[in-house]
Amino acid sequence: MEFPEMTGFSPRNLKYMRSFAAAYPDEAIVHQLGAQIPWKHNCTILDKIKDPEQRIWYIQKTIENSWSRAVLVHQIDSDLYSRQGGALTNFQAVLPVPQSDLAQSLLKSEYNLDFLNLHEKALERDLERALLEHMQKFLLELGVGFAFVGSQYRLEVDRDEFFTDLLFYHLG
């Protein structure tokens, strides 16, 4: 009532504003992170994520990857936070620290491929065919920076010819 020309102060929005202020008492976080994503993204994170560390992680990933709200919801619902960077590798043993950390962060411990609707005993060629049919969803699941190069891509090594089922390139 004090500011009749201003809009957006519905009871629901006021509750979100209060929740936002309680979730992020540090003003630096609000300015550095929360203010960089749309309000509805913040509301979604407040609704779906209770752990403060995870909230900040999802905000950072939203900023890094320019996620739409639908993509953010998908990543939260598929528990990307828990899956990111958890794959078993030998990167720490064979790469220097900056490169090993980067390489590890690019891998997930498991990928959510439920959208492929494959049965448990699917063959490798069934997986390849299904991935080709759902390439956009698969690239989103891989994460930012991946590009699809080709299927049955020909490689020549020491005059021997090989064909990869699917070849991806990571821009990083």
Side-chain angles (χ1 to χ4, degrees):
M1 296 176 140
E2 293 288 325
F3 306 99
E5 68 281 351
M6 294 182 75
T7 60
F9 295 114
S10 67
R12 181 176 167 187
N13 239 357
L14 288 171
K15 288 176 185 171
Y16 274 122
M17 290 176 200
R18 185 175 180 171
S19 296
F20 185 83
Y24 309 111
D26 182 357
E27 225 175 286
I29 291 175
V30 173
H31 292 296
Q32 292 171 4
L33 296 174
Q36 292 188 46
I37 64 174
W39 177 244
K40 290 295 184 185
H41 283 58
N42 279 305
C43 294
T44 298
I45 290 170
L46 287 171
D47 283 342
K48 292 184 168 282
I49 306 294
K50 301 305 174 210
D51 178 63
E53 182 181 313
Q54 286 186 35
R55 283 181 174 160
I56 290 171
W57 187 87
Y58 278 106
I59 291 172
Q60 290 171 331
K61 291 299 176 185
T62 299
I63 294 166
E64 286 173 26
N65 301 307
S66 302
W67 287 343
S68 68
R69 191 158 49 107
V71 170
L72 172 62
V73 168
H74 168 75
Q75 301 296 19
I76 291 170
D77 290 347
S78 68
D79 198 18
L80 179 64
Y81 178 83
S82 297
R83 297 182 292 119
Q84 190 75 36
L88 297 175
T89 68
N90 66 345
F91 295 149
Q92 298 293 343
V94 297
L95 293 172
V97 171
Q99 287 85 3
S100 66
D101 291 346
L102 174 62
Q104 186 66 41
S105 73
L106 297 175
L107 297 178
K108 299 179 185 179
S109 60
E110 58 184 69
Y111 290 96
N112 180 357
L113 302 178
D114 293 343
F115 62 88
L116 296 177
N117 297 320
L118 292 174
H119 55 83
E120 196 172 311
K121 297 197 190 280
L123 300 173
E124 183 179 346
R125 70 177 169 267
D126 298 328
L127 174 62
E128 179 184 349
R129 193 174 306 118
L131 286 172
L132 286 171
E133 289 173 13
H134 298 282
M135 189 56 64
Q136 182 180 13
K137 289 179 184 173
F138 183 63
L139 286 172
L140 277 174
E141 182 62 25
L142 286 177
V144 70
F146 279 92
F148 176 61
V149 178
S151 173
Q152 298 302 319
Y153 193 87
R154 181 184 169 275
L155 298 172
E156 188 176 316
V157 180
D158 294 331
R159 297 185 185 180
D160 289 328
E161 188 175 63
F162 300 91
F163 291 88
T164 63
D165 294 328
L166 300 170
L167 181 60
F168 296 90
Y169 178 76
H170 192 273
L171 302 174

